[in-house]
Amino acid sequence: MKVIIVGGVAGGASCAARLRRLDEKAEILMVERGPYVSYANCGLPYHVSGVIEKEASLLVASERLFREQFAIDVRTNCEAVSISAKDKTVQLRNVLTGETTTESYDKLVLSPGAPSLCPPLPGVDLPGIFHVRTVPDARTIRQWIESGTTFLTGMANYTGMQMAKPTRRAVVVGGGFIGLEMAENLTHLGLEVKVIQRGTQVLGPLDPEMALVIENHLTRHGVHVVFGDGAAGFSQLDNGGIEVQTASGKTYPADIVIFAIGVRPETKLAQTAGIEIGERGGIRVNDSMQTSDPNIYAVGDAIEVKDFVTGKWSLVALAGPANRQGRIAADVIAGRDSKYRGTQGTSIIGLFGGAAAWTGASEKTLKRLGDDDYEKIYLYPNAHAGYYPGAKMLGLKVIFRKSSGLVLGAQAIGEDGPAVDKRISAIAMAIQLGATVYDLEESELCYAPQFGSAKDPVNFAGMVAGNILRGDMPVCHWETTGCEFLLDVREPVELAIEQVSGAINIPLGQLRSRLDELPRNREIHVICRSAQRAYYAVRILLQNGFKAKIVSGGMLARTHAVS
Amino acid sequence: MKVIIVGGVAGGASCAARLRRLDEKAEILMVERGPYVSYANCGLPYHVSGVIEKEASLLVASERLFREQFAIDVRTNCEAVSISAKDKTVQLRNVLTGETTTESYDKLVLSPGAPSLCPPLPGVDLPGIFHVRTVPDARTIRQWIESGTTFLTGMANYTGMQMAKPTRRAVVVGGGFIGLEMAENLTHLGLEVKVIQRGTQVLGPLDPEMALVIENHLTRHGVHVVFGDGAAGFSQLDNGGIEVQTASGKTYPADIVIFAIGVRPETKLAQTAGIEIGERGGIRVNDSMQTSDPNIYAVGDAIEVKDFVTGKWSLVALAGPANRQGRIAADVIAGRDSKYRGTQGTSIIGLFGGAAAWTGASEKTLKRLGDDDYEKIYLYPNAHAGYYPGAKMLGLKVIFRKSSGLVLGAQAIGEDGPAVDKRISAIAMAIQLGATVYDLEESELCYAPQFGSAKDPVNFAGMVAGNILRGDMPVCHWETTGCEFLLDVREPVELAIEQVSGAINIPLGQLRSRLDELPRNREIHVICRSAQRAYYAVRILLQNGFKAKIVSGGMLARTHAVS
Ligand SMILES: Cc1cc2nc3c(=O)[nH]c(=O)nc-3n(C[C@H](O)[C@H](O)[C@H](O)COP(=O)(O)OP(=O)(O)OC[C@H]3O[C@@H](n4cnc5c(N)ncnc54)[C@H](O)[C@@H]3O)c2cc1C
Ligand SMILES: Cc1cc2nc3c(=O)[nH]c(=O)nc-3n(C[C@H](O)[C@H](O)[C@H](O)COP(=O)(O)OP(=O)(O)OC[C@H]3O[C@@H](n4cnc5c(N)ncnc54)[C@H](O)[C@@H]3O)c2cc1C
Ligand SMILES: CC(C)(COP(=O)(O)OP(=O)(O)OC[C@H]1O[C@@H](n2cnc3c(N)ncnc32)[C@H](O)[C@@H]1OP(=O)(O)O)[C@@H](O)C(=O)NCCC(=O)NCCS
Ligand SMILES: CC(C)(COP(=O)(O)OP(=O)(O)OC[C@H]1O[C@@H](n2cnc3c(N)ncnc32)[C@H](O)[C@@H]1OP(=O)(O)O)[C@@H](O)C(=O)NCCC(=O)NCCS
């Protein structure tokens, strides 16, 4: 059996290595257009800033390793230019010499990834404008910045005035995870960074009110995000810099521009084979990673995946899924019965020490699908026991089925990155296993005061959601609370910080003795800092015959709730 | 309905608060023998060293809060001394005045905890010998150490020779989690700490080979553990110190002694009610937290719990379970149908920046139960992507059913505490939901280079276990590998560090061309650093007609494998 694998990184390399383990006899040829296989795309932004110091660290496995350990014929600088599905052949082109050859296959695996989108804007090819996708990309960005640095350092030495060092400016076009990682790393290098984002939020997979917290976090760390505008063109400035022109007519001067407006499945090659491309623009595969041609498999960023939660086709460019899909394709080619379960989209991004993470369906996805059998909650528990120093608040949103309690998705943000990771990873595991909020309620995660709480944030999420579903705690949200009677059960001292106009204040401790101040004919919406005391108040009110709801997340949710 | 709750901390206070939320009308009386309710036992060791600076931080909720927010009658310094189950009354004694009163109940909840074991050894009451269980305990330990410090500081000032400051010595009797937390915190205070441990390992719930890693970690941080010996008596030294005499006849001088040899369910009171005590010595309850008397409930450290994995009765003193059990007891009393699912024993202990954590069944538990339908694996993956700086190795042991793949238990250790936490918490979630190793294989946890790997350690665990169960990777372990043919597939340079005598070295890259050097009539056990290359080698060997197994965990497991 001869297997050709196109693309030698996350999906392709994983597939090749696994296939060799399963089948010593298969003839395996892996072709990669670029100069390296198995490189760490995910490390590129951190190499730009020098956090990952050596370029060599990014090269996870070498051609030589593939040859020696895996007896795989690897060809770098080798592009697959077309496929004849009928003849089962691939035409290969040596990108250095232009020479082409034809190779036949029994099975073909495509893992060509998803290049960074690059609209044909005027000036988009000017020097100083970069994409971040390959090791050479990172190298040229570093060189561009360093060459500037040397020059400026020289100037500073000459004048003896370090203070006079002019600010260098970066414009990052796009506020997705690659854009924001680049924004952070460029900031670390001392650049002044602006992010231009066409939409109204950063980090598309997050719900907007959660993304807002990240925006504030970015601002606090000196990264300015411009919303509702997009790059429209670029021109060279006299001082060697670039002027970014936006759709709205603004201009931003920059010493470097990073283009990161998203990725698009690489399907050119697939199209030459005539295999099916799905509605979202990715290669269509079944759960065995097989395309519409049973001898051609496809994996990674280039394919459409079934969303684990919604069951819909979607595009998710993540390394974990690419790796697992590559492994499954190898299994199937080797005659195994492996199946891909779909992608939850579990992701995390570290930003200035904090992190945002998410898994499963977002609220906006459910809304887009017209699915309204869901409820959501906002919680702001401590990342670990409040009495142990350094406890930082987590912002946690959990979305679940109203009819069954099934956990649909979760999003978390916080300054304690590992604490964010712990909760979303645990909930990701729960979602994969079909957990309900009642399972979260009873879950038993690690607890010692440095690491969690006796009732972990994940337990709290389950308890709060469970209380809603059991009817113990009617809930409403800032965006839907309106002309109801608003009761604030915080202490007077807390009101000094921020209060909601029109809300009546009765501190929780006084509620039982002041019930006669409350209306019996109106729905009472109760707020406090996080909604925990509001819940306690709602319990008192309901049992005394009032109609009451908590406002989920209380004042803390209000700071980022979108109206 | 009148409910009396005995014990006002983790289980009791959680029960009281929940019950009030479910039932505004219930009369709730919570009695606590000590001076405080709702304190953070788990924080006590950290308060001793001043990591948690203020004693007040440990008081999570006050009597006043219970009165005002929850309308609960709380009595501190109030001991329940006996129960008449027939009359449904409890006799209470004010521990300050000695006055006794009798209160009747409709439902009674016992959450009296588990005091620290204190065998009647000679001199066990000498000043300077402490247990760590209550806020007053921590306070007196602090005072004892501080008073010493003042004296010694005075001396040092007097002589002007800070260097002459004599070393102060602590002896911690017991190497469980409280003992080790105390050992760390006393070390932070500059004391020289010895831990005396009767058995052969620290941290009983861990398997011994995993505990060994913790012992080395302790040694590296200056804590010396003496095994196979126990405290037999104490006497006062002339210099004000204490001499600890051990069973083996050794003596250790100490300025302070901490007694932490374990806890024992508090059942004295329960016995006055005549309710059933289980075979392990804890109060016996059903999954509604009901004792043998349907009007009496019990929760927390005082009860026996069903082990979630083995289904056996066991004693597990942990705050999370105590909190959840308290909540469930309240539910049941309020007429709800809540059930406790059993305890997995998920735990974590932070030690000098690193951590050890575990969940589910240990190998020694399975052995004790005569259960041999299990397999185990050892892995040493990076806590996060190796190319991102600061990646530290995790040591991970996963135990699973041979017949079904069900995950039974996991143990992890590592210098990156949060990374240990993430994996054990995720696997704890998986175990609760009945996951198999195939689920771990396909799990989708958070990945960015600071937080994990495209294939997370949890995925690796699933893949490795899956490979064993699918028959792709026969496995053996250091303790069972014997006279087989030992093949080491590491590179020559690695052998320089450590090698196994008698092993034949063929680097993996040369294996295919040197197969004729290997015996066809003997089982080949293959080793490398972690067993990953050994696995690759085993695949080559099996497909070439050899009989081969990996030695799980390779050289890394050998460093702590017990023979
Ligand atoms: C800057 C950056 C940061 C990232 N950070 C994260 C992160 O933190 N977490 C995460 O989960 N994911 C992250 N990702 C995404 C992750 O890297 C991808 O999801 C993953 O690499 C996709 O694997 P793949 O095999 O589909 O494609 P790739 O890994 O992109 O590999 C595709 C390869 O195919 C080659 N190729 C394409 N066409 C041809 C052809 N015709 N012939 C020969 N070769 C061809 C390309 O040169 C490329 O090297 C990041 C990506 C980038 C760029
Ligand atoms: C130093 C230390 C560190 C710990 N660290 C951790 C950790 O990191 N993680 C973890 O999960 N767990 C930890 N624990 C364990 C955890 O604190 C317990 O599991 C939990 O507190 C048990 O709750 P409980 O309600 O059963 O008992 P407790 O919280 O001990 O409360 C029992 C209370 O009942 C009172 N009482 C007893 N008898 C009577 C009576 N007759 N009348 C009136 N009152 C009575 C006692 O005074 C006591 O205050 C730690 C414990 C200690 C001591
Ligand atoms: C380097 C690369 C080729 C490795 O692929 P791989 O050989 O499958 O190796 P991995 O490191 O993923 O290890 C997985 C294999 O080792 C096995 N393994 C891991 N630890 C083991 C252990 N302790 N004992 C035995 N086997 C072990 C696994 O079971 C698995 O084998 P399987 O797939 O046959 O079950 C591929 O991961 C790659 O190209 N990575 C870089 C590109 C990338 O992912 N970029 C995006 C993220 S930055
Ligand atoms: C302080 C103490 C009495 C609190 O008990 P509690 O009132 O149940 O409060 P918790 O902080 O645990 O919060 C849980 C309640 O708030 C609710 N809640 C939490 N966050 C919420 C939010 N954002 N919105 C709405 N409700 C929320 C939960 O659902 C839960 O209510 P429920 O049990 O009715 O479902 C008890 O935890 C205690 O004594 N702790 C210290 C002792 C201890 O545990 N020691 C051992 C560990 S160191």
Side-chain angles (χ1 to χ4, degrees):
Chain A
M1 179 172 58
K2 180 168 170 191
V3 181
I4 299 182
I5 297 170
V6 178
V9 193
S14 292
C15 180
R18 171 73 173 167
L19 185 59
R20 171 55 72 230
R21 290 190 284 274
L22 295 181
D23 187 350
E24 266 295 288
K25 301 282 172 286
E27 190 183 338
I28 306 175
L29 167 61
M30 180 167 86
V31 300
E32 166 56 51
R33 180 168 49 200
Y36 306 110
V37 291
S38 284
Y39 56 88
N41 338 41
C42 317
L44 298 172
Y46 302 94
H47 180 51
V48 165
S49 65
V51 167
I52 297 174
E53 212 184 311
K54 297 211 180 79
E55 187 179 287
S57 311
L58 297 173
L59 306 174
V60 179
S62 63
E63 268 187 73
R64 182 164 156 224
L65 185 107
F66 273 98
R67 260 184 249 287
E68 290 191 354
Q69 260 188 26
F70 295 116
I72 287 171
D73 181 5
V74 183
R75 302 190 200 158
T76 50
N77 298 309
C78 176
E79 182 176 13
V81 284
S82 70
I83 299 166
S84 164
K86 190 172 60 66
D87 304 336
K88 302 220 266 176
T89 59
V90 182
Q91 202 190 18
L92 304 177
R93 194 176 69 93
N94 181 319
V95 297
L96 303 178
T97 64
E99 204 181 326
T100 64
T101 48
T102 300
E103 292 275 351
S104 67
Y105 63 80
D106 296 303
K107 302 285 174 189
L108 175 66
V109 181
L110 305 179
S111 188
S116 175
L117 283 168
C118 189
L121 302 174
V124 79
D125 293 325
L126 282 176
I129 304 183
F130 300 95
H131 291 254
V132 195
R133 192 169 140 72
T134 64
V135 173
D137 287 344
R139 190 187 303 152
T140 34
I141 294 172
R142 273 179 79 108
Q143 281 165 352
W144 180 263
I145 294 171
E146 275 161 21
S147 64
T149 308
T150 312
F151 171 71
L152 293 166
T153 307
M155 284 293 287
N157 287 344
Y158 180 71
T159 61
M161 286 176 65
Q162 288 288 344
M163 303 295 293
K165 192 169 153 183
T167 317
R168 285 182 306 149
R169 298 191 179 92
V171 167
V172 175
V173 185
F177 78 81
I178 296 176
L180 296 192
E181 285 180 355
M182 284 305 297
E184 172 176 8
N185 282 289
L186 293 172
T187 303
H188 290 330
L189 288 175
L191 278 83
E192 200 180 278
V193 182
K194 267 203 174 48
V195 176
I196 299 181
Q197 169 70 334
R198 190 188 296 272
T200 54
Q201 68 164 88
V202 294
L203 296 176
L206 281 180
D207 282 320
E209 75 284 12
M210 300 302 280
L212 192 60
V213 185
I214 292 298
E215 284 147 39
N216 292 338
H217 181 69
L218 289 170
T219 307
R220 272 202 306 285
H221 288 90
V223 174
H224 184 65
V225 188
V226 180
F227 287 101
D229 208 352
F234 306 89
S235 49
Q236 186 87 54
L237 293 176
D238 290 342
N239 66 1
I242 299 157
E243 185 180 80
V244 183
Q245 292 111 24
T246 70
S248 77
K250 296 224 176 61
T251 60
Y252 299 96
D255 298 289
I256 183 170
V257 174
I258 303 293
F259 229 91
I261 57 170
V263 298
R264 164 185 57 71
E266 175 68 73
T267 55
K268 241 185 5 228
L269 180 67
Q271 283 167 358
T272 68
I275 57 180
E276 186 185 350
I277 305 297
E279 70 228 22
R280 308 292 303 266
I283 304 173
R284 182 58 65 85
V285 295
N286 62 19
D287 60 4
S288 305
M289 312 318 299
Q290 225 162 9
T291 67
S292 58
D293 179 325
N295 296 313
I296 305 181
Y297 296 75
V299 302
D301 291 358
I303 66 163
E304 290 182 2
V305 290
K306 274 267 171 73
D307 181 301
F308 185 87
V309 173
T310 66
K312 304 290 179 200
W313 291 110
S314 64
L315 297 172
V316 185
L318 288 173
N323 269 267
R324 288 199 307 288
Q325 291 156 10
R327 187 167 180 265
I328 289 171
D331 281 7
V332 175
I333 291 172
R336 306 285 178 108
D337 184 32
S338 297
K339 298 248 178 285
Y340 188 65
R341 300 180 175 188
T343 299
Q344 294 174 226
T346 311
S347 308
I348 188 165
I349 174 173
L351 281 174
F352 297 104
W358 55 91
T359 185
S362 64
E363 186 179 4
K364 63 183 181 188
T365 296
L366 296 174
K367 277 190 177 151
R368 184 168 46 75
L369 298 174
D371 181 343
D372 56 8
D373 178 16
Y374 75 89
E375 185 51 274
K376 61 174 173 176
I377 51 172
Y378 298 94
L379 291 97
Y380 304 87
N382 278 323
H384 64 244
Y387 59 80
Y388 190 92
K392 301 207 176 109
M393 199 173 75
L394 289 177
L396 183 57
K397 176 178 183 176
V398 178
I399 305 166
F400 51 96
R401 276 255 166 275
K402 236 185 329 204
S403 56
S404 65
L406 194 74
V407 184
L408 300 174
Q411 304 172 22
I413 39 178
E415 292 190 2
D416 181 344
V420 166
D421 184 8
K422 171 179 178 176
R423 276 59 189 217
I424 294 299
S425 290
I427 297 179
M429 181 66 90
I431 289 178
Q432 191 207 351
L433 295 162
T436 63
V437 298
Y438 311 114
D439 296 318
L440 301 189
E441 198 167 19
E442 292 303 317
S443 64
E444 195 184 315
L445 307 189
C446 294
Y447 164 58
Q450 312 92 311
F451 297 103
S453 295
K455 290 172 191 138
D456 192 84
V458 172
N459 295 111
F460 277 136
M463 291 155 67
V464 171
N467 289 339
I468 293 173
L469 296 181
R470 285 183 290 260
D472 292 332
M473 182 177 76
V475 66
C476 67
H477 301 286
W478 281 110
E479 67 266 29
T480 52
T481 186
C483 50
E484 298 76 8
F485 187 91
L486 215 54
L487 171 66
D488 188 333
V489 294
R490 292 178 299 160
E491 300 300 310
V493 57
E494 296 175 87
L495 300 187
I497 301 165
E498 196 192 9
Q499 53 177 302
V500 183
S501 73
I504 303 303
N505 177 235
I506 303 180
L508 178 59
Q510 300 172 19
L511 186 60
R512 287 185 184 84
S513 57
R514 292 174 60 183
L515 290 175
D516 52 3
E517 298 174 32
L518 296 172
R520 296 207 164 258
N521 55 348
R522 289 175 68 189
E523 188 168 274
I524 302 172
H525 286 188
V526 190
I527 53 176
C528 66
R529 179 173 166 275
S530 73
Q532 186 166 9
R533 280 171 291 170
Y535 159 55
Y536 297 174
V538 161
R539 293 302 305 154
I540 296 171
L541 293 172
L542 292 178
Q543 293 180 69
N544 279 285
F546 292 87
K547 263 188 83 175
K549 287 181 174 169
I550 67 152
V551 181
S552 184
M555 294 304 289
L556 290 168
R558 188 168 185 253
T559 60
H560 62 111
V562 241
S563 44
Chain B
M1 178 172 59
K2 180 168 170 189
V3 181
I4 298 182
I5 296 170
V6 177
V9 194
S14 292
C15 180
R18 170 74 172 167
L19 185 59
R20 171 56 72 230
R21 290 191 284 274
L22 295 182
D23 186 350
E24 265 296 287
K25 300 282 171 289
E27 189 182 337
I28 306 174
L29 167 60
M30 180 167 87
V31 300
E32 165 57 51
R33 181 169 48 201
Y36 306 110
V37 292
S38 285
Y39 56 89
N41 337 41
C42 318
L44 297 172
Y46 303 94
H47 180 51
V48 165
S49 65
V51 167
I52 297 174
E53 212 184 312
K54 297 212 180 77
E55 186 178 287
S57 311
L58 298 173
L59 306 174
V60 179
S62 63
E63 269 187 73
R64 184 166 154 222
L65 184 106
F66 273 98
R67 261 184 248 287
E68 289 191 355
Q69 259 188 26
F70 296 115
I72 287 171
D73 181 6
V74 183
R75 303 189 199 159
T76 49
N77 298 308
C78 176
E79 182 177 12
V81 285
S82 70
I83 299 166
S84 164
K86 188 171 61 65
D87 303 336
K88 303 221 267 178
T89 59
V90 182
Q91 203 190 18
L92 304 177
R93 194 176 69 93
N94 181 319
V95 296
L96 303 178
T97 65
E99 206 182 326
T100 64
T101 49
T102 301
E103 291 275 353
S104 66
Y105 63 81
D106 296 302
K107 302 285 176 190
L108 175 65
V109 181
L110 305 179
S111 188
S116 174
L117 283 167
C118 188
L121 302 173
V124 79
D125 293 325
L126 282 175
I129 304 184
F130 301 95
H131 292 255
V132 195
R133 191 169 141 72
T134 64
V135 173
D137 287 344
R139 190 188 303 153
T140 36
I141 295 172
R142 275 179 78 108
Q143 282 166 352
W144 180 264
I145 294 171
E146 275 161 22
S147 65
T149 308
T150 312
F151 171 72
L152 293 166
T153 307
M155 285 292 287
N157 286 343
Y158 179 72
T159 61
M161 286 176 66
Q162 287 287 346
M163 302 295 293
K165 191 169 152 185
T167 316
R168 285 180 307 148
R169 298 192 180 90
V171 167
V172 175
V173 185
F177 78 83
I178 296 176
L180 296 192
E181 284 180 355
M182 284 305 297
E184 172 176 8
N185 282 288
L186 293 172
T187 303
H188 290 329
L189 287 175
L191 279 83
E192 200 180 278
V193 182
K194 267 202 174 49
V195 176
I196 299 180
Q197 170 70 334
R198 190 187 295 270
T200 53
Q201 69 164 89
V202 293
L203 296 176
L206 281 180
D207 282 321
E209 75 284 12
M210 300 301 280
L212 193 61
V213 184
I214 292 298
E215 284 148 39
N216 293 338
H217 180 69
L218 289 170
T219 308
R220 272 202 307 284
H221 288 90
V223 173
H224 184 65
V225 188
V226 180
F227 287 101
D229 206 352
F234 306 89
S235 49
Q236 186 86 56
L237 293 175
D238 290 343
N239 66 1
I242 299 158
E243 185 180 80
V244 183
Q245 291 112 26
T246 70
S248 76
K250 296 224 176 62
T251 59
Y252 298 97
D255 298 290
I256 184 171
V257 174
I258 304 292
F259 229 92
I261 58 169
V263 298
R264 166 185 56 69
E266 174 68 73
T267 56
K268 243 185 3 228
L269 179 67
Q271 283 167 358
T272 68
I275 57 180
E276 186 184 351
I277 305 297
E279 70 227 22
R280 309 293 303 267
I283 303 173
R284 183 56 66 83
V285 295
N286 62 19
D287 59 5
S288 305
M289 313 317 299
Q290 224 162 10
T291 68
S292 58
D293 179 325
N295 295 312
I296 305 181
Y297 296 75
V299 302
D301 291 359
I303 65 164
E304 290 183 2
V305 289
K306 275 268 172 70
D307 182 301
F308 185 88
V309 172
T310 66
K312 304 290 179 200
W313 290 110
S314 66
L315 296 173
V316 184
L318 288 173
N323 270 267
R324 289 199 306 287
Q325 292 156 10
R327 187 167 180 265
I328 289 171
D331 281 7
V332 176
I333 291 171
R336 305 285 177 109
D337 184 33
S338 296
K339 298 249 179 284
Y340 187 64
R341 300 180 175 189
T343 299
Q344 294 174 226
T346 311
S347 307
I348 188 164
I349 174 174
L351 281 173
F352 298 104
W358 56 90
T359 185
S362 64
E363 186 179 5
K364 63 183 183 188
T365 296
L366 296 174
K367 278 190 176 151
R368 184 168 46 75
L369 298 174
D371 181 341
D372 57 9
D373 178 16
Y374 75 89
E375 186 51 274
K376 61 174 173 178
I377 50 172
Y378 298 94
L379 291 97
Y380 303 88
N382 278 323
H384 64 243
Y387 60 80
Y388 190 92
K392 301 208 175 106
M393 199 174 73
L394 288 177
L396 183 58
K397 176 179 185 176
V398 178
I399 305 166
F400 50 97
R401 277 254 165 275
K402 236 186 329 207
S403 55
S404 64
L406 195 75
V407 184
L408 300 174
Q411 303 172 22
I413 39 179
E415 292 191 3
D416 181 344
V420 167
D421 184 7
K422 171 178 178 177
R423 276 61 189 215
I424 295 299
S425 290
I427 297 178
M429 181 67 89
I431 289 178
Q432 191 206 350
L433 295 162
T436 63
V437 297
Y438 311 113
D439 296 317
L440 301 189
E441 198 167 19
E442 292 303 316
S443 64
E444 195 184 314
L445 307 189
C446 294
Y447 164 58
Q450 312 92 312
F451 298 104
S453 295
K455 290 172 190 137
D456 192 84
V458 172
N459 295 111
F460 277 136
M463 291 155 67
V464 171
N467 289 339
I468 293 174
L469 295 181
R470 285 183 290 258
D472 292 331
M473 182 176 75
V475 66
C476 67
H477 301 286
W478 282 110
E479 66 266 29
T480 52
T481 186
C483 51
E484 298 76 8
F485 186 92
L486 215 53
L487 170 67
D488 189 333
V489 295
R490 291 179 298 160
E491 299 300 309
V493 56
E494 295 174 89
L495 300 187
I497 301 165
E498 196 192 8
Q499 54 176 303
V500 183
S501 73
I504 304 302
N505 177 234
I506 302 180
L508 177 59
Q510 300 172 18
L511 186 60
R512 287 186 183 84
S513 58
R514 292 174 61 183
L515 290 174
D516 52 3
E517 298 173 33
L518 297 172
R520 296 206 165 260
N521 55 347
R522 290 175 68 188
E523 187 168 274
I524 302 172
H525 286 189
V526 189
I527 53 176
C528 66
R529 178 173 168 276
S530 73
Q532 186 166 8
R533 281 170 290 171
Y535 160 54
Y536 296 174
V538 161
R539 293 302 305 153
I540 296 172
L541 293 173
L542 291 178
Q543 292 180 70
N544 280 285
F546 292 89
K547 261 187 85 174
K549 288 183 173 168
I550 67 153
V551 181
S552 184
M555 295 304 289
L556 290 169
R558 187 167 186 255
T559 60
H560 62 111
V562 241
S563 45

